[in-house]
Amino acid sequence: PLWRLQPFLLGSEQAADSVQAGYLRPGLAEEIAGPDAISIFLGLENERAIFALDISVAEETARDGLLGSLGHFRDARTAAQLLPLKDAAILGQAKALIDWHQRHGFCPNCGARTTLIDAGYRRHCEACSADHFPRTDPVVIMLVTDADRVLLGRQPTWPPRRYSALAGFVEPGESLEEAVAREVREEAGVTVGTPRYIASQPWPFPSSLMLGFIAPWESGEPRRIDDELEDVRWFERAEVEAALDERDGPLGVPPRFAIARRLLEHWVRR
């Protein structure tokens, strides 16, 4: 079975829980893949080997012709929102690895071309004998809370009404707790107390690990600092509950697969 970087889905997207990952038998996709297409071994499921194969060079008509009436392709972000968590995790593994290989064809140590080995989990440089492994970038994502209100921000490219938790990359030499405090100060201009870790989530767009926290507000009034956020403001518990229940209101929350929504659900249930 082969998995494509832009996943192949089965089922209607109009009915709940009807979409699932589609797998292609060996030989069906290779003929439209490029000569140097990346293929990665993802693992075994019930003694069935699953691979990711990059066929992004293929024309759209060729991809559609490959499937016929079997299913359809969707971009990775859309597919992750539609698929069950198990399939979404496999998709995340495939996308993160293929993205990494596409960006690391040459050795950062000496500049020579590297070779894919270990079924796709390492690249080796014959020129300087350096080995390179997939990397994951840590990102903190945090809900700032104050009694029955929560601080959320909005990026200008998001769908109307959508707000989410604040987030940012961890800098070199910085602890996770320090990153939480810095990002909140830089994005909203407020000070927080000691953050509490809640959960994590791989975020392969392209190679992040989201580390979720809840941090108590201490001082400062939220304000927009720069162009990264269009707005940052407090929301009351009732507004968050309505948004999570998908009732009409001033607030729209992230999709169900996102850790930001899980943090909101955790806070509401506390």
Side-chain angles (χ1 to χ4, degrees):
L2 297 169
W3 189 279
R4 193 203 173 300
L5 181 59
Q6 188 180 43
F8 163 41
L9 306 181
L10 297 170
S12 169
E13 297 179 14
Q14 307 305 316
D17 302 325
S18 63
V19 175
Q20 59 182 300
Y23 295 89
L24 304 178
R25 292 190 303 275
L28 290 180
E30 288 91 335
E31 62 184 41
I32 66 171
D36 299 321
I38 299 168
S39 181
I40 298 167
F41 175 62
L42 298 178
L44 297 173
E45 182 180 38
N46 299 324
E47 299 184 356
R48 180 182 66 169
I50 300 177
F51 292 83
L53 176 68
D54 177 17
I55 59 172
S56 57
V57 299
E59 297 290 338
E60 184 175 351
T61 54
R63 297 199 301 265
D64 292 341
L66 170 69
L67 300 182
S69 59
L70 293 176
H72 54 282
F73 288 120
R74 286 291 181 267
D75 67 273
R77 281 179 182 265
T78 301
Q81 299 179 50
L82 299 170
L83 290 170
L85 289 179
K86 173 187 171 184
D87 287 344
I90 296 174
L91 162 63
Q93 178 190 13
K95 186 179 188 307
L97 285 169
I98 287 180
D99 282 349
W100 178 73
H101 283 289
Q102 288 176 334
R103 298 193 309 272
H104 291 81
F106 295 88
C107 178
N109 187 47
C110 71
R113 184 176 292 276
T114 57
T115 304
L116 182 154
I117 58 176
D118 286 352
Y121 290 82
R122 178 161 58 108
R123 296 194 73 92
H124 180 71
C125 177
E126 296 288 349
C128 70
S129 299
D131 287 314
H132 305 285
F133 298 88
R135 60 174 293 172
T136 298
D137 301 318
V139 176
V140 290
I141 180 168
M142 47 276 171
L143 285 183
V144 178
T145 63
D146 177 39
D148 281 336
R149 61 179 186 168
V150 63
L151 184 64
L152 301 175
R154 168 175 169 76
Q155 293 187 9
T157 58
W158 287 350
R161 302 187 302 115
R162 177 174 293 178
Y163 283 75
S164 186
L166 306 180
F169 286 96
V170 180
E171 294 185 352
E174 188 175 52
S175 71
L176 299 179
E177 293 80 6
E178 289 170 335
V180 168
R182 175 185 54 78
E183 285 290 342
V184 172
R185 184 175 63 253
E186 290 178 353
E187 294 191 1
V190 305
T191 301
V192 296
T194 303
R196 179 165 54 96
Y197 172 77
I198 303 298
S200 65
Q201 180 185 36
W203 192 257
F205 305 108
S207 58
S208 300
L209 176 64
M210 309 291 288
L211 302 155
F213 292 85
I214 289 181
W217 172 83
E218 283 196 345
S219 64
E221 287 303 314
R223 66 188 189 278
R224 179 172 170 266
I225 303 295
D226 54 32
D227 293 336
E228 183 175 349
L229 292 180
E230 180 181 80
D231 187 28
V232 57
R233 50 166 288 198
W234 293 106
F235 286 90
E236 300 296 330
R237 177 181 297 274
E239 295 175 298
V240 176
E241 290 176 339
L244 292 173
D245 291 338
E246 299 182 356
R247 304 196 303 267
D248 289 336
L251 174 63
V253 292
R256 295 182 182 277
F257 79 99
I259 188 173
R261 186 175 181 126
R262 291 172 55 196
L263 291 174
L264 286 167
E265 291 170 345
H266 177 91
W267 176 70
V268 165
R269 292 196 309 263
R270 79 173 196 273

